[in-house]
């Protein structure tokens, strides 16, 4: 598709055609991987628009155009990881900024927030529910940071409502949209000011790229982010930018299959006697469960054959994570337990395998641990 009409197309089209027709000289269908770190100047005082790859790289620009289009954003920047995107964004916030954040957060985000607070850079207030969050936003609040659905308890927040309250108090809203991806949610049109992604997860989708992204419609913020991105070098490599573009092409299909599998698996888990509670919003591939018998967790994890016991999510392969010792280990147990992230919880990232194979795998592992179900 021609770039100037990207806004006219639906997300499936934008994804399938990510990065194509970008090389006018050769007509290459697929975006080339531009490994060159530097670019020849046509003449003294002239530039092709590309000078040095930390500043701007054609492969990176191609994936950024697609990412901006699928999040309905004017601007996107890709970074070397999701955490690099978070740090880049927060680097633009004045020292002393007050931030209201959802409590049930990615463990790595919480770890960094805590460290920044300990160093006296920012102040955080955490909320366990949407009502609490809305009540905590005051005239002193500078930024509101949410993940929706939350991680791993899968609570959805109303982005439009949070944005309205944040804006009424002069605060900006940042949404980490890693879990739903733009397939299920576009936070910017709902009023968010910035969208953040760990593109390592659904956007790339194959557990082989570490990447992050920021999207916004705010030109001043983008300019500042672009400046800092170039200055500090938290950029995505051209090869990884290519892999991310490659992964994006199938995002819609992968999401559709993950969600279909997840719904079937949730129906199975809800009637399993080994399971005390199932957390699922009805869409996407992320499911959490609390087990009747916490002591059975090591055995279940060892017995699974199709699910892999590993951190991370959003890939074609199904993974199972034990947040208490993995993704959320840096959140002190007392804090984790206070909001429901207890040690009997397992988080499942449902992949695109055959749903019946996944159910059979869970059945044998849970049955082995808890008799017949
Ligand atoms: C993984 C993850 C991050 C961090 O991203 P990395 O790419 O691992 O640095 C941030 N937010 C959420 C919701 C995540 O799942």
């Amino acid at each position: 598709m021609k770039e100037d009409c990207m806004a006219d197309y639906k997300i499936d089209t934008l994804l399938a055609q990510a990065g194509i027709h970008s090389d006018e000289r050769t007509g290459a269908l697929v975006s080339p991987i531009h490994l060159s770190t530097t670019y020849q100047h046509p003449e003294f005082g002239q530039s092709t628009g590309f000078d040095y790859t930390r500043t701007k790289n054609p492969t990176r620009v191609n994936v950024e155009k697609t990412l901006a289009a699928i999040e309905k954003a004017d601007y996107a920047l890709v970074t070397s990881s999701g955490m690099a995107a978070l740090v880049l964004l927060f680097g633009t916030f004045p020292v002393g900024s007050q931030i209201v954040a959802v409590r049930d957060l990615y463990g790595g985000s919480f770890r960094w927030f805590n460290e920044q607070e300990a160093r006296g850079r920012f102040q955080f207030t955490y909320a366990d529910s949407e009502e609490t969050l809305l009540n905590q936003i005051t005239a002193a609040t500078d930024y509101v940071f949410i993940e929706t659905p939350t991680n791993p308890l899968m609570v959805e927040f109303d982005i439009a409502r949070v944005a309205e309250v944040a804006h009424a108090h002069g605060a900006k809203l940042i949404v980490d949209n890693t879990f739903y991806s733009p397939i299920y949610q576009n936070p910017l049109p709902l009023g968010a000011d910035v969208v953040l992604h760990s593109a390592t997860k659904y956007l790339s989708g194959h557990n082989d790229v570490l990447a992050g992204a920021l999207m916004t419609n705010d030109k001043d913020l983008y300019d500042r982010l672009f400046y800092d991105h170039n200055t500090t070098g938290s950029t995505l490599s051209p090869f990884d930018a290519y892999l991310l573009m490659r992964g994006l092409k199938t995002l819609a299909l992968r999401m559709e299959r993950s969600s279909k599998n997840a719904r079937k698996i949730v129906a199975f888990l809800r009637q399993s006697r080994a399971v005390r509670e199932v957390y699922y919003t009805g869409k996407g591939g992320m499911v959490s469960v609390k087990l009747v018998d916490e002591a059975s967790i090591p055995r279940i994890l060892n017995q699974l054959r199709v699910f892999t016991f590993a951190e991370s999510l959003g890939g074609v392969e199904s993974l199972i994570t034990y947040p208490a010792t993995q993704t959320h280990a840096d959140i002190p147990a007392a804090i984790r337990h206070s909001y429901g992230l207890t040690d009997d919880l397992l988080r499942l990232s449902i992949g695109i395998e055959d749903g019946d194979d996944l159910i059979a795998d869970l059945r044998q592992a849970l049955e082995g641990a808890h008799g017949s179900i």
Side-chain angles (χ1 to χ4, degrees):
M1 104 203 69
K2 293 280 190 313
E3 211 179 285
D4 52 355
C5 36
M6 277 175 106
D8 299 338
Y9 293 99
K10 302 219 164 46
I11 191 165
D12 291 22
T13 308
L14 295 170
L15 289 168
Q17 303 209 356
I20 71 167
H21 299 153
S22 57
D23 188 27
E24 278 174 21
R25 198 177 70 77
T26 66
L29 177 74
V30 172
S31 169
I33 307 174
H34 289 269
L35 295 172
S36 188
T37 52
T38 190
Y39 303 84
Q40 182 181 0
H41 301 300
E43 266 180 54
F44 180 77
Q46 286 189 5
S47 166
T48 59
F50 296 93
D51 304 306
Y52 187 63
T53 273
R54 179 159 24 74
T55 317
K56 216 166 145 195
N57 170 281
T59 314
R60 215 164 71 219
V61 166
N62 284 341
V63 75
E64 285 171 346
K65 280 180 186 156
T66 301
L67 289 170
I70 63 174
E71 276 293 15
K72 303 189 192 304
D74 291 342
Y75 311 100
L77 272 177
V78 282
T79 54
S80 52
S81 71
M83 288 312 296
L86 186 91
V87 172
L88 179 68
L89 175 65
F90 277 68
T92 66
F93 301 170
V95 171
S97 290
Q98 299 208 14
I99 300 145
V100 174
V102 53
R103 168 78 77 188
D104 188 24
L105 275 182
Y106 173 65
S109 304
F110 180 81
R111 175 175 58 197
W112 192 76
F113 288 172
N114 233 13
E115 179 67 17
Q116 296 309 303
E117 180 145 49
R119 291 182 190 180
R121 189 166 168 206
F122 303 128
Q123 275 183 295
F124 289 88
T125 316
Y126 295 98
D128 293 354
S129 69
E130 187 170 314
E131 290 314 312
T132 317
L133 183 99
L134 295 176
N135 285 331
Q136 282 172 348
I137 301 170
T138 67
T141 308
D142 299 298
Y143 301 95
V144 179
F145 184 93
I146 64 171
E147 268 179 53
T148 174
T150 64
N151 175 6
L153 293 168
M154 307 303 296
V155 178
E156 285 182 296
F157 280 61
D158 182 338
I159 294 174
R161 191 164 168 234
V162 177
E164 201 181 304
V165 174
H167 294 160
H169 290 86
K172 294 205 151 124
L173 173 64
I174 304 134
V175 178
D176 180 335
N177 201 24
T178 302
F179 267 36
Y180 268 171
S181 90
I183 297 294
Y184 290 118
Q185 182 166 277
N186 280 134
L188 294 177
L190 294 171
D193 298 281
V194 188
V195 175
L196 181 145
H197 277 277
S198 169
T200 312
K201 317 293 169 54
Y202 285 104
L203 298 183
S204 293
H206 295 74
N207 288 319
D208 58 4
V209 188
L210 191 69
L214 292 169
M215 295 85 161
T216 185
N217 292 326
D218 180 338
K219 171 92 168 62
D220 290 342
L221 177 65
Y222 172 75
D223 288 345
R224 180 71 204 276
L225 290 168
F226 186 93
Y227 179 88
D228 287 356
H229 194 223
N230 176 41
T231 305
T232 61
S234 57
T235 50
L236 190 63
S237 80
F239 188 70
D240 288 344
Y242 174 78
L243 282 178
L244 171 55
M245 207 164 357
R246 169 78 172 235
L248 281 170
K249 288 169 186 280
T250 54
L251 174 64
L253 283 175
R254 288 186 283 105
M255 267 295 182
E256 192 177 312
R257 171 64 81 85
S258 293
S259 296
K260 188 173 154 218
N261 280 346
R263 285 191 288 268
K264 271 172 114 170
I265 287 166
V266 163
F268 160 75
L269 291 169
R270 289 216 160 108
Q271 52 79 57
S272 166
R273 283 201 283 120
V275 173
R276 186 159 70 79
E277 210 164 339
V278 181
Y279 300 83
Y280 185 57
T281 63
K283 56 192 177 198
M286 296 305 295
V287 178
S288 292
V289 289
K290 283 188 179 173
L291 299 180
V292 171
D293 180 12
E294 185 182 316
S296 67
I297 285 179
R299 205 145 50 101
I300 291 170
L301 294 174
N302 291 338
Q303 267 173 235
L304 286 165
R305 293 290 171 264
V306 185
F307 278 86
T308 301
F309 172 40
E311 303 194 25
S312 203
L313 63 110
V316 292
E317 307 89 351
S318 292
L319 302 183
I320 187 161
T321 301
Y322 188 35
T325 65
Q326 295 179 300
T327 48
H328 294 68
D330 284 317
I331 305 177
I335 294 180
R336 272 194 285 114
H337 296 167
S338 75
Y339 67 86
L341 206 187
T342 43
D343 297 348
D344 52 358
L345 184 139
L346 290 172
R347 192 186 75 186
L348 286 71
S349 169
I350 309 299
I352 65 166
E353 302 94 335
D354 184 283
D356 292 335
D357 283 343
L358 294 173
I359 289 173
D361 192 38
L362 288 170
R363 177 177 280 123
Q364 64 82 19
L366 292 168
E367 271 176 8
H370 207 77
S372 62
I373 44 174

